Amino acid sequence: MRFNKTGYSNEDLLFLYEQILRPRMIEEKMLILLRQGKISKWFSGIGQEAVSVGAVNALNTDEFILPMHRNLGVFTGRNIPYARLFAQFQGKLSGFTKGRDRSFHFGSAEHNIVGMISHLGPQMALADGIALAHKLKQAEKATLVFTGDGASSEGDFHEALNVAAVWDLPVIFVIENNGYGLSTPSSEQFRFKQFTDKGPGYGIEAIQIDGNNLLEVHRTIKDAVEKVRKKPRPIIIEALTFRMRGHEEASGTKYVPKALMNKWAKKDPVENYETYLLKQGVLNEELIQEIRAKVKTDIEQGLETAYSENIPTANTQIETEDLFAPFKQEVIVPKSQTVSEKRFVDAISDGLKQSMERYPNLVLMGQDIADYGGVFKITEGFINEFGKDRVRNTPLCESAIIGTALGLCINGYKAMVEMQFADFVTCGFNQIVNNLAKIHYRWGQNADVVVRMPTGAGVGAGPFHSQSNEAWFFHVPGLKIVYPSNAKDAKGLLNAALEDPNPYLFFEHKALYRSHTQEIPDDYYTAEVGKAALASEGNDLTIVTYGMGVHWALEAISQLEGITADIVDLRTLLPWDKEAVKESVRKTNKVLILHEDTLTGGIGAEIAAWISENCFEFLDAPVMREASLDTPVPFTKTLEENFLPQKRLLEKLKSLSEY
Ligand SMILES: Cc1ncc(C[n+]2csc(CCOP(=O)(O)OP(=O)(O)O)c2C)c(N)n1
């Protein structure tokens, strides 16, 4: 291996030597502990240390780095105290996840490290968001994210690179090409020869390096970092390297040809660098022993402290509280009494605009939302007031944009993502349910992101532009869901969602956009999250519903002579207002839950179960549900009407009242 030390002082060279020795020595110790059954699982980076160490030392410590599962050198390079690092591996409280996540699945705000989720690829878009924040602040900083060659097959890889290219984001994408993804060799993973071939396709400069040559890695990445700080743009660095141990320790390396192992053993990044420094007279045996002894002491002391700490005792209250960043809503009333008649769609637009004025760090992203104003025209004219930096047209890539939104938040911004139609959220599902929803619980990072969801049927738009998909998210701890039924709530709840530093799904019914109008306050205000409202009051039965269901319920009740009903408009689905439901059921003793979403596993199922368990003694009839058929949403009017619950509602209400 040929090293070039031009530009490095002896001190620099020795510093890097100690830096690369640290992850190697920690790993050697961990492998012993693993054999002794003292840690549960280990992803080895032995053989790949030069990549992590070269990269982390090429950045300033105030620049973000986003490691994967073989980048121990990143954590040691950012001087994380070993006791804390080992406590993390052991699931102890003083680690980074309070025992909630394992190994390298954590981040640390104070060290500017953003940890991975197991799904690998989603990590890359977070780097885009962090870099976008830097770019908007004109901070002249680089962000560096790692990925493996295996994870490059994920769509997230493509999306993140593409967004970074289109938006000229200062991200260094380090692809650690170690030839295998678990047991799958590159030949079964992709057809291209090398990752640098991908650069031109994305319009991104791409550089290939010997990932086992510490100085080459360090120098190349340092140069790249300097370039992107000055002129923001992404750069791909393909680091050729090899994993000398199994995917994780239990899985072994039987599938790797012996000759390949031997070839790479000769290229060991630590040994080669050490030999080089010895030859250059920078290092000698005595110094090696001295440095090793120092590192050994650090490891042993760290382990001793970590082992002396007890395994955490579980506290359910803390577990549920930590789902969200602390935030206590203070409902804001409008400053003046002035009101205007507004359509549902205009109320949303109004709220969004006032939130943009209120939060100069709020960034809007979505397909066609800039000059075009969005397909529903909610952001029409926004670019004139707020500019294209804050009202961003995105490429067609829901996953990367939601990931980018989280990255923006990590770096000090608030973000709103408009789904063009709620249906398309499937393409961003992973980022929502695994990143946005879990990140605060896992390592205390909030996700200040609102995803707006134009939803619902009744507009003849067929199976992919009409779905109600709130129930998919209702099941996910760590999300908040609001679903207004009227213009006043729409503005107030949107403002409330944008105010809260936690992740929201904001459902807005397309069929209400231009059909429903209401007098709403002109000033900024918020509506209370988690609080239902009575859309009508009565004594004979209760209808629990939300969104379009509120309008169907009002109409149905008006047609039922001699029957009055409480119509409980939930307004918020996560958390939903159990007390309001209980209070009404206590009064009327009969309840129907109505929603536009399909019946099976819908939100009604959960509410019905809760009522049965908590309001049983008040009930004079079975808890009933009315919902859409358990089919996709059909296109033709007659079929769509048959699908939706509205035409079955009257009969259902009659049977409930007569029960
Ligand atoms: C979405 C997803 N699919 C599968 C896995 C299981 N898995 C974890 S790591 C891995 C291999 C990743 O290969 P690569 O990206 O090359 O990284 P390496 O492990 O080689 O460092 C696989 C298949 C996963 N974690 N996430």
Side-chain angles (χ1 to χ4, degrees):
M1 196 177 294
R2 293 169 73 89
F3 289 94
N4 172 6
K5 68 180 175 70
T6 314
Y8 291 85
S9 68
N10 284 358
E11 227 178 11
D12 296 336
L13 295 170
L14 284 176
F15 173 79
L16 285 174
Y17 174 67
E18 188 178 320
Q19 284 284 301
I20 199 167
L21 204 55
R22 286 183 174 271
R24 173 64 60 92
M25 286 180 67
I26 291 176
E27 274 226 39
E28 285 167 353
K29 183 71 187 173
M30 289 301 151
L31 296 183
I32 295 169
L33 295 177
L34 192 75
R35 280 194 286 276
Q36 294 171 349
K38 290 186 177 161
I39 51 170
S40 68
K41 197 162 183 166
W42 188 258
F43 290 92
S44 175
I46 286 185
Q48 301 188 198
E49 294 96 333
V51 187
S52 307
V53 171
V56 73
N57 285 293
L59 293 168
N60 293 331
T61 50
D62 63 355
E63 288 172 312
F64 281 89
I65 188 160
L66 295 87
M68 299 301 289
H69 50 294
R70 298 193 201 288
N71 298 122
L72 175 59
V74 167
F75 297 92
T76 53
R78 283 275 159 109
N79 293 324
I80 288 191
Y82 291 177
R84 245 193 122 182
L85 192 60
F86 301 151
Q88 166 63 26
F89 299 154
Q90 294 170 12
K92 305 274 174 73
L93 216 53
S94 68
F96 290 85
T97 63
K98 302 186 185 173
R100 292 168 186 164
D101 207 341
R102 66 184 187 187
S103 58
F104 299 109
H105 292 186
F106 70 95
S108 169
E110 60 179 298
H111 298 98
N112 292 311
I113 292 176
V114 176
M116 63 185 289
I117 60 168
S118 290
H119 298 65
L120 315 166
Q123 179 82 333
M124 296 173 71
L126 271 56
D128 284 354
I130 292 169
L132 174 58
H134 279 146
K135 198 177 164 185
L136 295 176
K137 295 185 226 174
Q138 299 180 336
E140 298 188 4
K141 289 191 200 312
T143 297
L144 187 146
V145 62
F146 295 90
T147 184
D149 47 291
S152 77
S153 299
E154 291 183 50
D156 283 305
F157 175 89
H158 161 72
E159 289 192 13
L161 284 175
N162 189 50
V163 170
V166 173
W167 288 355
D168 292 318
L169 300 176
V171 184
I172 310 293
F173 293 99
V174 177
I175 302 167
E176 282 188 80
N177 186 353
N178 64 11
Y180 285 86
L182 214 156
S183 75
T184 306
S186 294
S187 58
E188 294 176 33
Q189 193 77 246
F190 45 76
R191 247 318 148 255
F192 54 86
K193 265 204 176 126
Q194 51 199 0
F195 279 93
T196 43
D197 293 344
K198 294 207 146 214
Y202 288 105
I204 299 180
E205 182 186 355
I207 306 164
Q208 190 178 67
I209 54 174
D210 177 353
N212 283 24
N213 183 324
L214 180 55
L215 295 185
E216 188 176 330
V217 175
H218 182 253
R219 187 197 310 275
T220 313
I221 298 183
K222 205 164 182 330
D223 285 350
V225 162
E226 274 158 21
K227 282 202 266 186
V228 309
R229 277 186 199 137
K230 280 199 205 98
K231 184 174 173 239
R233 63 191 192 277
I235 294 181
I236 292 171
I237 309 273
E238 176 182 16
L240 301 175
T241 185
F242 204 72
R243 158 168 65 76
M244 296 307 290
R245 303 198 63 88
H247 167 67
E248 45 87 27
E249 274 309 302
S251 63
T253 53
K254 266 196 190 141
Y255 48 84
V256 182
K258 247 207 144 52
L260 198 58
M261 266 308 192
N262 294 339
K263 178 184 146 196
W264 281 94
K266 292 197 187 96
K267 288 169 66 93
D268 183 279
V270 182
E271 283 172 19
N272 273 281
Y273 187 56
E274 190 178 270
T275 308
Y276 172 71
L277 294 188
L278 283 169
K279 270 197 194 143
Q280 295 291 315
V282 177
L283 196 59
N284 55 48
E285 279 304 329
E286 207 178 319
L287 203 47
I288 292 178
Q289 292 320 318
E290 198 181 300
I291 297 170
R292 280 189 160 267
K294 182 166 76 169
V295 177
K296 191 163 177 257
T297 308
D298 288 349
I299 295 171
E300 278 168 0
Q301 282 177 353
L303 277 172
E304 204 180 301
T305 312
Y307 275 123
S308 67
E309 187 180 342
N310 290 330
I311 288 288
T313 42
N315 176 326
T316 304
Q317 192 188 339
I318 295 175
E319 289 304 291
T320 45
E321 269 172 15
D322 276 359
L323 278 176
F324 297 106
F327 174 73
K328 192 158 169 18
Q329 186 187 9
E330 280 176 27
V331 176
I332 298 175
V333 294
K335 270 208 181 104
S336 74
Q337 301 290 313
T338 60
V339 291
S340 306
E341 180 91 7
K342 285 223 159 72
R343 297 179 304 177
F344 194 84
V345 70
D346 301 323
I348 293 169
S349 184
D350 197 30
L352 201 52
K353 198 178 218 168
Q354 289 178 354
S355 286
M356 285 289 275
E357 286 160 1
R358 195 177 170 88
Y359 301 107
N361 65 338
L362 173 60
V363 173
L364 311 183
M365 295 184 287
Q367 288 153 31
D368 309 290
I369 70 162
D371 309 74
Y372 190 68
V375 291
F376 298 107
K377 303 293 170 201
I378 283 172
T379 51
E380 191 157 47
F382 276 38
I383 52 165
N384 300 333
E385 206 168 321
F386 306 110
K388 272 187 126 174
D389 272 353
R390 291 182 64 205
V391 185
R392 306 185 72 86
N393 269 350
T394 73
L396 209 160
C397 49
E398 286 74 8
S399 184
I401 296 305
I402 296 168
T404 298
L406 179 54
L408 273 172
C409 160
I410 289 169
N411 201 1
Y413 280 76
K414 293 170 96 65
M416 189 270 339
V417 180
E418 176 178 297
M419 287 293 116
Q420 200 154 66
F421 286 82
D423 308 66
F424 305 146
V425 79
T426 41
C427 300
F429 193 72
N430 192 30
Q431 290 285 18
I432 295 177
V433 303
N434 284 318
N435 248 336
L436 299 188
K438 296 181 176 49
I439 195 163
H440 192 269
Y441 176 76
R442 291 171 54 240
W443 57 276
Q445 168 63 54
N446 72 308
D448 195 347
V449 179
V450 174
V451 182
R452 284 192 27 249
M453 304 276 281
T455 189
V459 288
F464 305 114
H465 290 76
S466 310
Q467 288 172 87
S468 294
N469 50 26
E470 62 272 17
W472 299 347
F473 302 100
F474 184 66
H475 188 62
V476 182
L479 297 177
K480 299 191 186 187
I481 305 176
V482 287
Y483 198 147
S485 70
N486 58 60
K488 188 171 176 210
D489 285 351
K491 179 172 167 181
L493 285 172
L494 180 59
N495 285 338
L498 289 164
E499 207 174 272
D500 189 335
N502 290 294
Y504 272 79
L505 290 158
F506 182 86
F507 284 88
E508 43 198 62
H509 203 295
K510 304 188 296 282
L512 292 176
Y513 274 159
R514 291 173 170 79
S515 68
H516 162 86
T517 59
Q518 210 177 21
E519 269 196 348
I520 68 166
D522 291 332
D523 292 328
Y524 179 91
Y525 63 93
T526 61
E528 186 175 347
V529 171
K531 189 91 182 145
L534 280 180
S536 85
E537 280 188 58
N539 297 312
D540 303 310
L541 47 92
T542 296
I543 304 173
V544 178
T545 187
Y546 55 91
M548 189 57 97
V550 174
H551 302 273
W552 292 333
L554 283 167
E555 196 187 319
I557 286 297
S558 73
Q559 290 174 30
L560 282 175
E561 252 175 61
I563 293 175
T564 61
D566 265 1
I567 298 176
V568 179
D569 177 358
L570 288 174
R571 309 200 298 172
T572 302
L573 302 180
L574 258 188
W576 61 278
D577 191 345
K578 297 184 169 94
E579 276 316 303
V581 170
K582 191 173 193 172
E583 204 176 302
S584 180
V585 175
R586 193 201 310 260
K587 178 175 69 170
T588 65
N589 315 120
K590 289 180 177 179
V591 59
L592 171 86
I593 303 146
L594 167 69
H595 55 62
E596 177 175 332
D597 196 0
T598 51
L599 184 75
T600 302
I603 283 164
E606 171 64 23
I607 296 172
W610 187 88
I611 294 171
S612 320
E613 197 171 335
N614 295 280
C615 308
F616 186 73
E617 57 273 32
F618 310 140
L619 291 170
D620 287 342
V623 180
M624 293 190 184
R625 289 176 294 159
E626 194 53 74
S628 286
L629 299 183
D630 283 326
T631 68
V633 190
F635 158 58
T636 292
K637 199 171 177 4
T638 47
L639 301 185
E640 193 182 34
E641 276 173 8
N642 182 59
F643 164 83
L644 289 169
Q646 192 185 10
K647 69 175 215 176
R648 294 180 292 275
L649 182 57
L650 218 49
E651 279 312 304
K652 195 69 168 235
L653 288 173
K654 278 185 197 155
S655 77
L656 178 62
S657 75
E658 285 161 12
Y659 189 90

